[in-house]
Amino acid sequence: MTVTPINPDGPNHVAIIMDGNGRWATQRGRPRLFGHQAGAKRVRQAVETCPQLGVKYLTIFAFSTENWKRTQSEVAGLMALFRRYIQRESNYLHRLGTRVRFIGEREKLDSKLQKLMDFLEKLTEHNDTTHLTIALNYGARDEVTRATQRLAVEIAEKRLKPEQVNSEVLASFLDTCMLPDPDLVIRTSGEARISNFLLWQSAYAEYEFIDTHWPDFTPDVFETVVGRFGGRDRRFGAVKA
Ligand code: IPE
Ligand code: IPE
Ligand code: MG
């Protein structure tokens, strides 16, 4: 199926900090996990909407390296939700032609979840409709630290010379080595910070901080935010003629 993008000048890669699940639930007098469940449902719609918006790459922040600081019960609930999410959504995502990948430090996640992540990546590895990247136990400082450790090993073992390290080489050691840089980063729920998300990759991204809580992020909201992108004047440090 060929879909005509609504916005041909739109962002190729959108990254989303899916924030506000807890506040959305609290406003309804419900436990925070209820908000996370409602939030998980919005992911499917966001993925479905990408082709119409001309968005080829969608990267979503699901769990940060700092989110382990939350209560044990919230963390356990989120991990169970991630497992169930993969079990329930794998076939649907595959049918949509979505290629799913995960970024972040996997070792700290439980082995059952790691196996499900490997399974979903393998199942969808030849798909190309939308590239969905899920940041799970992801932190940009952790990513750069891990990349630097691997780079140091390459240098110590003489496969790479220090003077050969440039920004392309460094980027190739990051978890996102297979992705273009994000053009647009959206954070829901009103906070104007990036909370350790894609620090290197978003150096020239446009940012949208919107008040909508993630569980209220409908395809209409997505379309409106992406629509505003066309009006941005991206100069990348240069002066336009
Ligand atoms: C985002 O929603 C989901 C995760 C960080 C896992 P929050 O849980 O941060 O929701 P708020 O910010 O407390 O409302
Ligand atoms: C960022 O949200 C992480 C995710 C959306 C997964 P947080 O809610 O954890 O960020 P802070 O604590 O408000 O900075
Ligand atoms: Mg939050």
Side-chain angles (χ1 to χ4, degrees):
M1 185 179 68
T2 341
V3 185
T4 317
I6 293 173
N7 179 7
D9 301 323
N12 179 48
H13 183 176
V14 175
I16 308 183
I17 302 170
M18 307 184 291
D19 197 19
N21 294 348
R23 277 164 281 174
W24 182 90
T26 304
Q27 282 168 3
R28 284 157 182 77
R30 304 295 297 270
R32 292 177 58 84
L33 268 173
F34 179 70
H36 294 314
Q37 282 155 4
K41 289 189 188 134
R42 288 293 180 199
V43 172
R44 173 189 272 231
Q45 281 179 318
V47 177
E48 285 169 345
T49 311
C50 282
Q52 286 152 258
L53 300 180
V55 174
K56 189 77 183 169
Y57 294 86
L58 177 69
T59 299
I60 55 174
F61 204 2
F63 191 88
S64 78
T65 45
E66 288 71 37
N67 287 148
W68 299 103
K69 294 178 195 161
R70 297 186 177 199
T71 62
Q72 201 269 333
S73 81
E74 181 166 350
V75 170
L78 279 164
M79 293 300 150
L81 180 64
F82 297 143
R83 285 196 299 269
R84 275 202 312 277
Y85 184 82
I86 299 175
Q87 281 163 338
R88 280 196 201 140
E89 295 291 300
S90 287
N91 286 337
Y92 182 71
L93 288 167
H94 186 39
R95 275 207 310 280
L96 277 183
T98 312
R99 176 161 191 185
V100 185
R101 284 184 278 222
F102 293 89
I103 55 171
E105 162 65 284
R106 295 188 193 203
E107 297 303 301
K108 221 180 152 190
L109 299 169
D110 77 65
S111 62
K112 186 153 182 238
L113 178 55
Q114 285 188 46
K115 282 201 185 91
L116 286 163
M117 290 158 69
D118 293 342
F119 160 79
L120 182 53
E121 285 184 332
K122 187 95 189 107
L123 176 74
T124 62
E125 69 183 340
H126 300 298
N127 294 345
D128 188 42
T129 304
T130 303
H131 290 240
L132 172 67
T133 304
I134 305 177
L136 220 171
N137 194 25
Y138 174 86
R141 287 181 172 179
D142 174 68
E143 176 192 37
V144 173
T145 306
R146 285 186 285 105
T148 308
Q149 282 170 357
R150 280 187 279 118
L151 198 59
V153 171
E154 292 302 297
I155 292 173
E157 297 183 357
K158 308 234 180 299
R159 286 188 291 272
L160 195 64
K161 295 193 180 108
E163 59 273 23
Q164 288 175 315
V165 180
N166 56 29
S167 60
E168 278 78 32
V169 170
L170 181 46
S172 74
F173 282 83
L174 297 174
D175 296 353
T176 50
C177 57
M178 61 301 180
L179 301 176
D181 285 344
D183 303 294
L184 173 65
V185 178
I186 302 169
R187 182 173 186 140
T188 59
S189 211
E191 313 297 347
R193 57 175 171 260
I194 53 177
S195 303
N196 204 9
F197 189 46
L198 301 177
L199 296 180
W200 168 279
Q201 300 85 343
S202 300
Y204 269 100
E206 299 292 323
Y207 281 88
E208 281 273 355
F209 299 100
I210 61 168
D211 288 335
T212 311
H213 293 313
W214 175 252
D216 290 330
F217 190 87
T218 59
D220 282 351
V221 176
F222 196 8
E223 188 182 333
T224 304
V225 176
V226 166
R228 288 203 285 263
F229 178 87
R232 301 284 190 102
D233 181 12
R234 302 183 81 196
R235 292 188 288 270
F236 301 99
V239 176
K240 284 259 174 76

